[in-house]
Amino acid sequence: MRVFNRDLRFQDITIMYFTGLAALMVILVGSYQAPGNATNVSSFKSNASRPLPPLPMPFRVPLDPRGELQLAWNISYADQEVYMALRVAELRYGVVLGMSDRGELTNADLVVLWDSGTKSYFGDAWSDSEGRVSLDSQQDYELLEAKQKPDGFFLLFKRPFSTCDPRDYLIEEGTVHMIYGFLDQPLASLEQLNLSRIHTGLQRVLMLRPDTPAPTLPPDVRTLDVVSPNVIIPNQETTYWCFIQKLPENMPKNHIVMYKSVITPGNEAIVHHIEVFECSPEVPDVPPYSGSCDDKMKPGKLNFCRHVLAAWAMGAEAFYYPPDAGLPMGGPGSSRFLRLEVHYHNPLLISGRHDSSGIRLHYTPSLRRYDAGIMELGLIYTPIMAIPPKQRTFYLSGYCTSKCTKTALPSGGIYIFASQLHTHLAGRGVRTVVVRGGKELELVQEDQHFSAHYQTIRVLRKMVNVLPGDVLITKCTYNTEDRSRPTVGGFGIMDEMCVDYVHYYPRTQLELCKSHVDAGYLQKYFNFINRNHQMFVL
């Protein structure tokens, strides 16, 4: 039986043809328009009723080596939000800013400003495992302002710490790996963008900072600049420059109460991090030196200058001691020599650039109630501290035991107010906790996105009280997937460490509270493994 006649079939085909053609036109037109949930920057107007964060923003960092892209931010712990201001010195066709686990371009949480050729759009996006970009169906970056100013194009936007979106990065304590990119041509559709095909870069920051106000400095505060002596920055990507500086003759005991970076103008995007070390008081004289820290001809006595006095990394603010404490400098039993170490990151191989960057110490002769101290926690560096090769995740833990704290700490304990986590290149995470009565009581410091390329002293959001009998456990996470041999503990950059330098008061005689694997027990373990292996083979 024939259901349709010839004329009816022709009519159906005609309708289907024009319906399909209309659908195709909608698809084609849609591909040249921004998706409905992106913000049209071309017609965007700031909402005057929306409260803006205090300006200027307190935290800032240059993202690219030329300083053409600068990020500033502020934090609202009450609303659990981060406000970000992005300045683009010369905006072409757009810019990409994002966060990922370790700075990868794949599986990254992104915010994108792009030009379609006729309009500009702003949107929350993400990249897949191939670096291809898509607009996120859940828009968690909210545009607050978009303006062209004399010194560049400014974007002001905000985002919650946590969005409950599986494609979004969770902003938490510790290092945040920021990726960025510049668009050099219009995009008819954001889906045309692949991060592997544009100019990109990486910067690391501490996004979340304590929101406590800075203490007032005493009226008799003095300053001491520990800075590079007009160094010509080498035209190579990475340089660690060392300089020995002497304290004034017969300097009495003072308290360092604050320090901050002193960066030569124009070098803000090249000076990556700075550290000042105090030399051992047991070394009466350290020869003058200004040169590469890796130079095999440098004086051997520089190796006795390892006690951290101050540390700064790009984007860090001034470091203040608590009002009741200060770090001793000068006086009997202290060294007269300091070692400055400046890390220059110069990927563009800029030559002929002079630099006198360093750290300015603010100190007072009016001693505070307590001496502050620095205690080294974690593992002792020995070859027994070994990590197998080809490990995606491997853990090592160091202990400051209850016996040590019971013996060395005062009855009221100590108060930890800051710490500096430290590993070498295989390190991926560091965590220090206080254990009391067999239970984990409090977290001291944690960074599960830790990078050996970004190490600075981090002020705790609240001080941690450690009592006699408490245990301090420092746990480090490593990745050795790119290594074919075991990694052992040691001072070399390809060796490993697991350390947390905790800053505390009142100062005690306990400067190092670490553990190591007992060689005898390790031998018993290997004997046990060998016996069981033989039984299995038989």
Side-chain angles (χ1 to χ4, degrees), residues 103-373:
E104 308 93 338
L105 299 178
T106 56
N107 302 310
D109 176 15
L110 308 170
V111 59
V112 186
L113 172 70
W114 77 98
D115 189 336
S116 68
T118 57
K119 296 179 181 179
S120 295
Y121 297 96
F122 172 94
D124 182 351
W126 56 278
S127 63
D128 64 13
S129 58
E130 302 296 326
R132 294 184 294 259
V133 176
S134 298
L135 201 66
D136 202 328
S137 57
Q138 179 177 314
Q139 292 288 294
D140 294 300
Y141 288 92
E142 181 183 351
L143 182 62
L144 303 177
E145 195 171 70
K147 277 188 178 180
Q148 180 66 50
K149 298 182 181 179
D151 55 340
F153 189 85
F154 283 78
L155 282 173
L156 177 64
F157 51 93
K158 68 175 184 176
R159 209 211 81 164
F161 295 172
S162 175
T163 66
C164 298
D165 183 341
R167 292 195 176 106
D168 284 351
Y169 183 90
L170 173 64
I171 300 175
E172 54 188 347
E173 301 282 348
T175 306
V176 176
H177 291 71
M178 308 290 302
I179 60 175
Y180 63 87
F182 297 96
L183 304 184
D184 292 324
Q185 59 185 13
L187 293 175
S189 168
L190 189 61
E191 282 66 27
Q192 293 179 347
L193 177 60
N194 189 310
L195 296 183
S196 65
R197 297 173 188 167
I198 65 171
H199 172 67
T200 58
L202 166 67
Q203 185 61 276
R204 300 173 182 89
V205 302
L206 289 179
M207 183 68 73
L208 301 187
R209 311 285 185 87
D211 55 352
T212 54
T216 303
L217 294 178
D220 61 350
V221 70
R222 305 172 185 176
T223 61
L224 173 68
D225 285 358
V226 185
V227 297
S228 303
N230 196 26
V231 171
I232 300 177
I233 301 175
N235 61 339
Q236 59 191 34
E237 182 170 353
T238 301
T239 300
Y240 286 85
W241 194 273
C242 280
F243 173 65
I244 294 295
Q245 180 161 325
K246 291 173 64 174
L247 294 177
E249 293 285 346
N250 302 316
M251 184 179 187
K253 179 180 176 181
N254 290 266
H255 270 163
I256 298 172
V257 294
M258 188 269 271
Y259 64 81
K260 62 181 180 180
S261 63
V262 180
I263 309 298
T264 299
N267 294 343
E268 292 87 354
I270 299 178
V271 178
H272 189 269
H273 71 257
I274 307 169
E275 290 189 277
V276 176
F277 300 89
E278 185 180 28
C279 298
S280 172
E282 299 173 0
V283 180
D285 189 54
V286 179
Y289 181 74
S290 180
S292 171
C293 301
D294 301 320
D295 192 333
K296 294 181 180 178
M297 300 303 291
K298 71 179 185 294
K301 289 185 178 180
L302 266 65
N303 293 325
F304 294 93
C305 305
R306 295 183 179 275
H307 188 73
V308 177
L309 199 69
W312 171 90
M314 189 178 285
E317 297 301 301
F319 180 88
Y320 290 85
Y321 280 84
D324 283 345
L327 188 69
M329 179 177 66
S334 67
S335 175
R336 293 176 51 242
F337 299 93
L338 305 178
R339 176 170 68 90
L340 173 72
E341 182 175 302
V342 182
H343 172 205
Y344 298 109
H345 180 58
N346 185 16
L348 301 179
L349 308 182
I350 299 170
S351 60
R353 187 73 65 85
H354 288 250
D355 185 71
S356 296
S357 298
I359 286 180
R360 177 169 295 154
L361 304 174
H362 293 249
Y363 65 96
T364 173
S366 303
L367 301 182
R368 293 183 169 183
R369 183 179 179 184
Y370 299 110
D371 284 349

Side-chain angles (χ1 to χ4, degrees), residues 3 48 66 68 72 98 145 148 157 268 356 411 463 473 483 524:
V3 179
R66 295 189 187 278
E68 295 180 354
E145 195 171 70
Q148 180 66 50
F157 51 93
E268 292 87 354
S356 296
S411 58
M463 287 193 286
I473 303 175
R483 301 188 182 189
K524 290 180 181 179

Side-chain angles (χ1 to χ4, degrees), residues 447-464:
D447 189 345
Q448 292 307 321
H449 301 278
F450 177 83
S451 169
H453 301 291
Y454 190 75
Q455 304 186 44
T456 189
I457 297 174
R458 309 173 185 199
V459 178
L460 308 186
R461 290 194 63 199
K462 69 168 187 168
M463 287 193 286
V464 175

